[in-house]
Amino acid sequence: MEKIQMKTPLVEMDGDEMTRVLWQQIKEILILPFVDLKTVYFDLGLKHRDETEDQVTIDSANAAKKYGVAVKCATITPNAQRVEEYHLKKMWKSPNGTIRTMLDGTVFRTPILVNGVRPTVRTWEQPITIARHAYGDVYKNSEIRIPGAGKAELVFTGEDGREIRQEIFSFKSPGVVQGIHNLDASITSFAHACFQYALSVKQDLWFSTKDTISKTYDHRFKDIFAELYEQQYREAFEKAGITYFYTLIDDAVARVIRSRGGFIWACKNYDGDVMSDMIATAFGSLAMMTSVLVTPHGQFEYEAAHGTVTRHYYRYLKGEETSTNPVATIFAWTGALRKRGELDELPELTAFADRLEKATLDTIQAGIMTNDLALIYEGEARSVNSRQFLEAIAERMES
Ligand code: NAP
Ligand code: MG
C-alpha cells in the first residue's frame, strides 16, 4: 500500500509519562503504517526540558509559529515533588503556559461523543466547546495577606506621573486583598479567535461574564466582544446562519444545562478553567476531551486535555499493562493532520484523519474500549489494554 504524502511537516512536541508511551504507540500502530509522516521533533519530556534549561519549549513554540500546525503530548508541570523526583535544576514553568504566552492563543476544548457513553445531562446531544481566555485575571495576580487594621488602595501611576487611586477597603481586622489585570489587546485577540473559530465550525457563539457586578473590568470584555462583532463579524455570522449571544455567567450556566449542545461557550480565564472540567466530566470522561490552541495569526496546536496519567505510568514502570485511554491523544494527531491537509490542500491526508477518527469511535461502538470507558458504557463492553485497543483500531483501518 502506498503511504499518504505530506508537504509541510507538523511540529511534534513529545511529552511525559504514560502519554509519552502512548505517543510512540499511536505513531507506530496508527500513523506510520499509513502516512509518510513528516515532523519537526521537539522533546518536551521533563528530563530534556531540564537539560536545555527549558529552551526546547521556546524552540518548539517558535517552530509552531513558523510551520503553523503543532501536535503536543501531555507534559509534567513540575512542582516541589517533581523537582526531587527528576533532580531538576529549577522548578520549570508550565510548558503549556509558555507556549500559550508566546503564541497568544485561545484554547478550545471539545468533548468527543460516542454512542453508548451518555452525557450525564440528558438533553445534550452535541458537544459543547469551551473557549477559555488564556491570559491574565487571577492567573497573574498579586495578593497580600492583610495583617490588621489599615487601608488598601488600588493605585495606577502612569508613565507621565499621573495617578489614579481608589480605595479598595478600610480594614478593621486581618484579611486578604488581590490585584488582577487584563489587556485590551489580549481580550481583542480572544474575541477574534472565538468569532473566527465559530465561523470555521459554523456553530453559535455564547459569551458570558459577570458585568453586572464587575462594571468596569468584566464590562470591558463585554464591550470589546460587542464592538468587534458589530464592526467585523455580524455579516459573516448572518451569512453562516449562526448567532453571537452575550449573557451573564449565571444565566449561561443555567442555559447550558438546559441546552442540546452544539455551540461554543467563550469564558474568561477562571470560568473556562472550571467549566471545562465540568463539561468534560458531564460528557463522560476527561480522557475524551480534545484541546486546540488557536492563535490570532492562524496557527494551531492540538493536544489532549488530560495530563500525563501519572498513576498509570507508575504501574507501567512496574511492568503492568495499563488500560489508559488514548482517544484524546489520537484526536490530537488527527486534528493536526487534518489541519495540515486543509492548509496544504492534501485531500488524502484530511480523509485519513477522518478515517482514523471514525475507526476509533467504531471500535468503541463495537464494544472494545479501555477500562475508563467500559465502566460507564451502556452495553456490552470488553475492557482491553491500551496496545490492544490501538491494534483493534488498526485492524479496522486496514479492512
Ligand atoms: P491526569 O494525568 O489527567 O490524570 C488524572 C486521573 O484521571 C488519572 O489518574 C486517571 O484516573 C484519569 N485519566 C486521565 N486521563 C486518562 C486517560 N487518558 N485514560 C484513563 N484515565 C485517565 O491528571 P494529574 O494526575 O492531575 O496530572 C498528572 C501530570 O499531568 C501532572 O504532572 C500535571 O502537571 C500534568 N498535566 C499536564 C497537562 C497537559 O500537558 N496538558 C494537563 C493536566 C495535567 P485513574 O487513576 O482513576 O484511572
Ligand atoms: Mg483546570
Side-chain angles (χ1 to χ4, degrees), residues 39 43 60 100 180 216 227 241 272 291 303 310 321 348 365:
T39 73
D43 182 1
S60 75
R100 249 179 246 156
I180 59 172
T216 303
E227 279 162 30
S291 183
E303 64 170 335
T310 310
E321 281 289 350
E348 297 91 24
Q365 274 149 206

Side-chain angles (χ1 to χ4, degrees), residues 72 74-75 77 82 96 287 303 306-312 325:
K72 181 179 168 292
T75 45
T77 298
R82 298 296 198 167
N96 285 14
E303 64 170 335
H306 60 76
T308 60
V309 209
T310 310
R311 280 209 290 266
H312 293 213
N325 189 337

